[in-house]
Amino acid sequence: PPRSTLFPYTTLFRSYTKSGVVIDIYVVVDTDVEVNDIVYRVQQNVKNSINSLLPLKIVSINVHIMDAEKNSL
């Protein structure tokens, strides 16, 4: 997927189902980070942000690690 110009290491896709919204986030992480921690934090931040702004039911938040680069942040 193409990288965002606003957040060059993150790409966001969403789709709507009868059950709610499905969010797919594609990220590039730094090689020095704990991947499980990053994925959990991204999911929580996206969930909290959406819930505070919109009355949407979130079906899933899928975080895809596209690459790991040294000092990608």
Side-chain angles (χ1 to χ4, degrees):
R3 290 185 178 176
S4 164
T5 55
L6 183 58
F7 301 102
Y9 297 102
T10 305
T11 303
L12 173 70
F13 292 98
R14 72 219 173 283
S15 59
Y16 301 98
T17 68
K18 290 180 182 180
S19 303
V21 65
V22 175
I23 300 166
D24 288 285
I25 302 170
Y26 296 82
V27 297
V28 175
V29 298
D30 192 286
T31 55
D32 294 331
V33 300
E34 181 66 38
V35 174
N36 290 337
D37 182 51
I38 291 295
V39 168
Y40 177 77
R41 288 174 40 203
V42 167
Q43 288 173 323
Q44 292 304 307
N45 286 335
V46 169
K47 176 183 163 190
N48 293 338
S49 295
I50 290 175
N51 286 336
S52 71
L53 296 172
L54 302 168
L56 294 176
K57 180 175 188 277
I58 300 171
V59 175
S60 65
I61 300 172
N62 306 307
V63 180
H64 307 272
I65 306 298
M66 298 302 293
D67 199 2
E69 297 177 358
K70 186 68 177 164
N71 298 318
S72 66
L73 301 176

